[in-house]
Structures are given as structure tokens and as C-alpha cells.
Amino acid sequence: GALVYQYPRRTICKSGTSMRMECQAVGFQATSVAWYRQSPQKTFELIALSTVNSAIKYEQNFTQEKFPISHPNLSFSSMTVLNAYLEDRGLYLCGARASQNTLYFGAGTRLSVL
Amino acid sequence: GDSVTQTEGQVALSEEDFLTIHCNYSASGYPALFWYVQYPGEGPQFLFRASRDKEKGSSRGFEATYDKGTTSFHLRKASVQESDSAVYYCALGTQGKLIFGQGTKLSIKP
């Protein structure tokens, strides 16, 4: 089956520092990866859509300068949160696209900022 | 722009009750429609999808029928169990990404 692993599961960083999170698709080739942030109120914000060998498309209010993404192959992607502050807290989810354009999600990386 | 609306923020039922969670969408053409379920501490899990008018998706006893006329994809289950307690999200697929509804928290009393 299609599995997506994200790590770390939880991370705490000091305000103004950066942290990197990783996403790995197992059992399938992910033609694209969508990074989301889920707020404490449980709503989803799309950060960016990344397709291998194509430009990464960031949504409004999210930039490459703040959330740089690496997507070197069909099974791995990483995203960094630079200069994290309180408003960056949340559950960061990686959705990897499999057949029939279905996104499979990992368990997420929960970011806390002190 | 495209959007998804779930009417119920919370639903409380007893075991073996019938479940309906309403989902309506706004989009042009025939977007794919999805249901996901999220348990505490986990990411959203894919339940099923449909991509054509009148197509029915189903999984684990849950089902929904794509209705372009009413722009709806309501989730139903004939008899819920306590293990079904979770948050359910309706989503619309467009241009490689998903647009999620606000989510419906389902609580089942034993």
C-alpha cells in the first residue's frame, strides 16, 4: 500500500531559529508532493506544491525564502521553516500524490516554537 | 475560487445510528471529490474518491455519491461504531492539490 513517512514527528525550536522536516513515500512513486500546515483549529493551509523537475509553486502568504523545499526524486521531499516564530506553529503535513491524483498523507511534523 | 463546505462542525451519535455528513462544493467542470478521516495525532487518511457524476465511492462501510446537480458529496454510513470517532474532511481535487472543507468531528457514544 501507499505509505508516507514524516520525521521528526515533533520538534521544538527557539524563536528565530530554523528546522527541517522530511517526507518519504514508500511503496509508490510520488509524482508530486503538497505541503500543508494544519492550524490548531484544524483547518488546512496549502503551503506549496512541488513536482519533480518542475518549479515549486508556493501559495499566497508562503514564500520560498521562508519555506524552502527540496524535492530531488520521486520518493523524498524536505521542507525547512526558516526563522520560526509563534505564528509558524502547527502540524506540517506532506501529501504525496499517487495514482488517480490521490494524495496520501504522513502523520505530520508538529512544530512548537518557544 | 473553488471551495468545499461542510455544514456540520460536530456530530454526536450513538452506536448503530445512521450517519450523514453534508458536503457541498463549488468548482467548474468535474473536479475529483474525496473523503478523508483524521484520528488524533495522525495525518488525514484517504477513505475514497469519486470523479464523475453519479459515481459512488465507498470504504469501510462509508459511502458517498457524486452529485453534480446539487454539487454535493455527502458522507453516509448505515451503522456507526465507537471506533468511527474522528474528524472527517471532504476535499476537492484541482491542479494536483486538495482543497479541504472545515471538517466534521464525529463523536460516538457507546
Side-chain angles (χ1 to χ4, degrees):
Chain A
L3 294 174
V4 177
Y5 291 103
Q6 287 187 253
Y7 36 92
R9 289 290 304 270
R10 293 178 176 272
T11 186
I12 302 172
C13 65
K14 289 185 177 180
S15 182
T17 63
S18 302
M19 69 81 53
R20 180 171 177 263
M21 57 191 75
E22 299 182 345
C23 171
Q24 184 157 17
V26 177
F28 68 104
Q29 292 189 322
T31 54
S32 65
V33 169
W35 285 93
Y36 287 83
R37 180 171 66 197
Q38 188 175 30
S39 69
Q41 293 73 35
K42 304 301 183 185
T43 57
F44 293 89
E45 295 177 279
L46 177 64
I47 298 170
L49 182 63
S50 174
T51 304
V52 176
N53 298 325
S54 294
I56 298 170
K57 186 179 178 199
Y58 286 83
E59 293 293 297
Q60 196 172 11
N61 301 326
F62 296 95
T63 65
Q64 182 181 6
E65 291 70 32
K66 172 73 174 177
F67 298 96
I69 290 170
S70 171
H71 193 179
N73 57 56
L74 291 172
S75 63
F76 182 83
S77 178
S78 67
M79 183 175 74
T80 301
V81 181
L82 295 174
N83 300 317
Y85 289 98
L86 283 176
E87 58 266 28
D88 296 318
R89 292 173 303 173
L91 181 66
Y92 287 82
L93 292 162
C94 161
R97 185 166 67 163
S99 61
Q100 294 190 309
N101 289 323
T102 298
L103 287 184
Y104 291 90
F105 289 88
T109 295
R110 185 166 298 283
L111 173 62
S112 300
V113 181
L114 300 178
Chain B
D2 298 345
S3 65
V4 176
T5 301
Q6 291 177 236
T7 311
E8 300 90 354
Q10 296 189 64
V11 172
L13 297 172
S14 298
E15 278 197 317
E16 300 183 11
D17 280 353
F18 188 91
L19 168 71
T20 300
I21 297 177
H22 295 94
C23 171
N24 288 89
Y25 70 93
S26 174
S28 56
Y30 279 90
L33 300 174
F34 300 80
W35 277 101
Y36 283 81
V37 57
Q38 187 174 27
Y39 299 98
E42 299 182 14
Q45 294 179 16
F46 169 71
L47 263 181
F48 57 82
R49 58 167 276 158
S51 56
R52 299 184 305 277
D53 191 22
K54 303 296 184 268
E55 180 181 358
K56 183 164 82 173
S58 64
S59 176
R60 310 185 208 173
F62 293 92
E63 62 178 43
T65 300
Y66 194 129
D67 190 331
K68 186 166 175 63
T70 59
T71 60
S72 66
F73 194 54
H74 305 318
L75 181 70
R76 293 186 167 91
K77 187 175 185 182
S79 176
V80 295
Q81 303 301 314
E82 191 176 358
S83 58
D84 294 326
S85 297
V87 181
Y88 292 81
Y89 292 94
C90 183
L92 178 158
T94 176
Q95 299 176 333
K97 61 188 180 185
L98 290 175
I99 297 172
F100 287 90
Q102 304 91 323
T104 299
K105 183 176 182 179
L106 174 63
S107 301
I108 306 298
K109 295 168 285 186

